[in-house]
């Protein structure tokens, strides 16, 4: 029996054979149509990360996994925390074991493949933590490459994925310059952070924001001049990741160091 997923994959393969651009096949999923009807003209969700406040405890990662059906032990996560260590001889180390789900409980740097690096405290020039998540780009390349409309941008700026409409082609995962997308281990479709859309559209905070005991993560509405997050973005020195790609990320950082990749 032919399934919708197989049918669309075959259709896309045919289009590729005819040298048609994949963007020529614009299909609208039912969730995208509902989102476009949602009146959110007064809302543009943005995120603020204060790297000065992050201690790498990992509570945000745990909360995200539990809230969004991401298998706890799977080595994938919608949000994660990276640790950066710059030594006095200017060697840079960065790691994020299990996305920092369990926090950074040892000073050893995880180099991957079972290898570790011990660094003495007196050799450290600078060390800090950087939470990461989907940047909900103003110009999201993942939306542009999705051939079936399963990845789409809501009117309030959040980029969403319709699990029932995704065919698992992986184009969006390849297109994201921030590496925030992955295949869901159980659903076998593209997955990523959506600011906990089911929560924020009901007046709640994202799960990671609620879980952070230090206020390192905040979400707000950039169209509201009285929003505390908007005030910080408009009045303080903030930065975004990989600005040179022109995607216009909507996750802003306080204290973002030049060493961050």
């Amino acid at each position: 029996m032919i399934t919708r997923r197989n049918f669309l994959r075959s259709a896309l393969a045919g289009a590729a054979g005819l040298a048609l651009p994949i963007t020529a096949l614009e299909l609208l999923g039912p969730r995208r149509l509902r989102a476009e009807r949602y009146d959110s003209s007064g809302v543009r969700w943005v995120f603020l990360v204060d790297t000065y406040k992050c201690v790498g405890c990992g509570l945000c990662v745990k909360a995200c996994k539990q809230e969004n059906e991401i298998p706890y032990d799977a080595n994938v996560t919608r949000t994660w925390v990276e640790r950066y260590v710059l030594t006095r001889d200017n060697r840079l180390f960065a790691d994020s074991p299990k996305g920092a789900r369990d926090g950074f409980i040892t000073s050893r740097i995880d180099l991957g493949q079972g290898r570790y690096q011990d660094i003495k405290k007196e050799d450290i020039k600078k060390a800090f933590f950087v939470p990461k998540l989907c940047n909900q780009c103003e110009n999201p390349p993942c939306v542009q490459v999705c051939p079936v409309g399963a990845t789409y941008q809501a009117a309030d700026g959040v980029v969403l994925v319709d699990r029932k409409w995704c065919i698992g082609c992986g184009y969006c995962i390849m297109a994201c310059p921030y590496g925030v997308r992955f295949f869901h281990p159980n659903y076998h479709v593209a997955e990523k952070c959506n600011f906990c859309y089911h929560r924020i559209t009901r007046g709640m905070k994202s799960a990671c924001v609620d879980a952070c005991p230090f206020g390192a993560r905040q979400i707000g509405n950039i169209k509201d001049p009285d929003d505390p997050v908007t005030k910080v973005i408009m009045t303080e020195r903030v930065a975004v990741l990989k600005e040179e790609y022109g995607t216009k990320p909507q996750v802003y950082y306080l204290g973002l160091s030049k060493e961050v990749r």
Side-chain angles (χ1 to χ4, degrees):
M1 182 179 73
I2 189 168
T3 64
R4 171 181 166 277
R5 175 176 297 200
N6 290 336
F7 171 78
L8 288 172
R9 276 181 168 165
S10 299
L12 290 172
L18 295 171
L20 290 174
I22 58 175
T23 50
L25 295 172
E26 183 178 10
L27 302 177
L28 301 179
R31 292 197 175 187
R32 174 179 175 178
L33 292 174
R34 285 198 294 272
E36 289 180 349
R37 287 201 298 270
Y38 169 62
D39 181 9
S40 55
S41 56
V43 179
R44 203 318 172 186
W45 297 107
V46 294
F47 208 92
L48 179 66
V49 176
D50 190 339
T51 63
Y52 296 124
K53 294 181 178 178
C54 182
V55 300
C57 64
L59 293 177
C60 53
V61 180
K62 284 191 183 76
C64 175
K65 279 187 170 253
Q66 293 166 355
E67 179 71 25
N68 294 292
E69 300 180 281
I70 307 301
Y72 194 72
D73 292 323
N75 196 28
V76 290
T77 181
R78 285 183 167 199
T79 186
W80 67 97
V81 180
E82 296 176 352
R83 172 174 58 179
Y84 289 81
V85 177
L86 181 65
T87 62
R88 296 191 183 280
D89 58 357
N90 291 321
R91 291 182 298 159
L92 180 65
F93 297 90
D95 68 348
S96 183
K98 296 183 179 179
R101 181 198 69 184
D102 302 322
F104 292 92
I105 55 178
T106 173
S107 59
R108 291 194 308 172
I109 302 295
D110 188 343
L111 301 176
Q113 300 181 333
R115 298 179 301 122
Y116 298 90
Q117 177 72 44
D118 287 311
I119 302 176
K120 297 179 181 177
K121 286 186 178 179
E122 56 267 30
D123 293 332
I124 297 176
K125 181 179 181 180
K126 181 167 65 173
F128 53 92
F129 302 101
V130 180
K132 289 187 175 179
L133 63 163
C134 175
N135 287 276
Q136 312 298 347
C137 302
E138 195 68 38
N139 300 320
C142 55
V143 171
Q144 297 168 24
V145 301
C146 180
V148 297
T151 287
Y152 57 97
Q153 190 172 34
D156 52 20
V158 177
V159 176
L160 302 169
V161 180
D162 188 339
R163 284 177 177 172
K164 294 182 179 178
W165 210 248
C166 177
I167 60 173
C169 66
Y171 290 158
C172 59
I173 295 174
M174 292 184 284
C176 176
Y178 303 98
V180 304
R181 285 176 168 260
F182 57 93
F183 278 115
H184 194 290
N186 296 339
Y187 295 108
H188 307 295
V189 296
E191 183 73 25
K192 73 170 192 68
C193 162
N194 61 7
F195 284 179
C196 285
Y197 201 66
H198 58 291
R199 292 170 61 97
I200 61 176
T201 51
R202 295 175 181 172
M204 303 167 66
K205 300 290 186 184
S206 303
C208 63
V209 172
D210 273 349
C212 180
F214 305 101
R217 292 171 177 253
Q218 298 182 59
I219 190 167
N221 174 15
I222 197 71
K223 290 186 177 180
D224 179 1
D226 295 323
D227 189 301
V229 171
T230 300
K231 289 181 178 179
V232 172
I233 293 173
M234 294 301 179
T235 60
E236 299 191 31
R237 182 173 293 180
V238 295
V240 296
L241 294 172
K242 300 181 180 180
E243 186 177 10
E244 65 274 16
Y245 284 94
T247 60
K248 298 184 178 178
Q250 297 301 306
V251 174
Y252 296 86
Y253 287 84
L254 279 169
L256 189 64
S257 179
K258 64 180 182 181
E259 288 86 8
V260 177
R261 299 162 179 166

